[in-house]
Amino acid sequence: GQSLEQPSEVTAVEGAIVQINCTYQTSGFYGLSWYQQHDGGAPTFLSYNGLDGLEETGRFSSFLSRSDSYGYLLLQELQMKDSASYFCAVHYSGGGADGLTFGKGTHLIIQP
Amino acid sequence: NAGVMQNPRHLVRRRGQEARLRCSPMKGHSHVYWYRQLPEEGLKFMVYLQKENIIDESGMPKERFSAEFPKEGPSILRIQQVVRGDSAAYFCASSPPWVSEAFFGQGTRLTVV
């Protein structure tokens, strides 16, 4: 089976840096993704880590450690529009097929 | 290239009726995932399909729910004899094989009255 843990809520200040952690237990794991979802909207893809290390895309970075079954999403220079829910998702392979399972999401609250 | 199209965006059904949710994946995408999301909760995996095949339906309730992805046409999530607890947002996502990014539709908000 697949299980993911991420904090339910994180609060940060505009302009600051925030890190959202994700731990997982997954059979056949081969990658970790992050998605952003604004209230009432569809999830949108932010990043993917298939290998250990840091991937940087503008103000957002994502990290993976396969040996620790752990990853995080780092958001820099926070803006009010970054207030949203952030989901980590594990990619796994098993039984001849691939799957994609999401965590319960972290609600990020940005304060002025 | 249009994105993932889901319809209807909003669906109201009375208890006991059937709900049919449609998802047209992006062109060239052969993988379709369905997720259910309750208010203030995460995306709960329901089913993963490829053309004409159900690959993983471990997240689908055993009764009243079914899904298909025919050779031609959209993927359909069908809920028979709906109950109030079925009220949720249902999201569809698609991807080509061996690609890390899944693209989501805008979802169907089902309300059972």
Side-chain angles (χ1 to χ4, degrees):
Chain A
Q2 328 297 331
S3 71
L4 299 95
E5 292 289 334
Q6 54 180 128
S8 59
E9 188 175 285
V10 172
T11 301
V13 177
E14 191 176 13
I17 299 172
V18 72
Q19 179 174 312
I20 300 173
N21 298 320
C22 175
T23 58
Y24 59 86
Q25 289 185 330
T26 303
S27 303
F29 172 89
Y30 68 83
L32 186 72
S33 291
W34 289 91
Y35 286 75
Q36 178 192 61
Q37 185 181 30
H38 287 98
D39 281 348
T44 56
F45 174 82
L46 291 177
S47 69
Y48 172 79
N49 293 72
L51 301 173
D52 285 358
L54 194 67
E55 293 283 341
E56 297 179 76
T57 309
R59 294 188 297 114
F60 293 4
S61 303
S62 58
F63 173 83
L64 174 65
S65 168
R66 296 172 69 117
S67 60
D68 296 323
S69 297
Y70 162 75
Y72 65 72
L73 179 69
L74 190 74
L75 297 85
Q76 303 181 69
E77 300 173 16
L78 286 170
Q79 302 174 9
M80 296 304 292
K81 68 178 182 179
D82 297 329
S83 292
S85 290
Y86 292 84
F87 296 88
C88 59
V90 290
H91 298 250
Y92 61 92
S93 181
D98 297 348
L100 181 62
T101 295
F102 285 77
K104 293 188 175 181
T106 298
H107 187 204
L108 175 61
I109 300 169
I110 310 292
Q111 295 176 335
Chain B
N1 188 6
V4 177
M5 303 300 292
Q6 287 188 249
N7 67 82
R9 291 290 306 276
H10 299 275
L11 181 62
V12 179
R13 284 286 177 266
R14 295 185 184 278
R15 280 179 295 170
Q17 290 184 319
E18 178 180 288
R20 280 183 172 247
L21 288 63
R22 294 174 185 77
C23 170
S24 296
M26 289 180 70
K27 188 176 181 181
H29 287 194
S30 56
H31 295 210
V32 167
Y33 303 84
W34 284 94
Y35 296 88
R36 177 162 66 178
Q37 187 173 41
L38 294 169
E40 305 299 320
E41 292 193 11
L43 294 154
K44 185 174 182 297
F45 168 77
M46 297 183 73
V47 63
Y48 163 41
L49 309 104
Q50 294 178 14
K51 283 283 187 182
E52 300 184 277
N53 282 306
I54 297 175
I55 305 301
D56 181 354
E57 56 181 349
S58 58
M60 195 103 94
K62 293 289 187 284
E63 297 179 352
R64 302 188 298 109
F65 284 71
S66 62
E68 62 176 10
F69 188 16
K71 186 177 179 181
E72 302 290 339
S75 175
I76 306 286
L77 179 67
R78 182 181 175 206
I79 311 172
Q80 296 177 290
Q81 300 172 6
V82 296
V83 300
R84 288 222 171 103
D86 297 333
S87 295
Y90 292 83
F91 286 96
C92 161
S94 74
S95 73
W98 306 112
V99 171
S100 56
E101 181 177 353
F103 296 81
F104 279 81
Q106 290 300 310
T108 294
R109 271 85 181 161
L110 172 66
T111 302
V112 179
V113 298

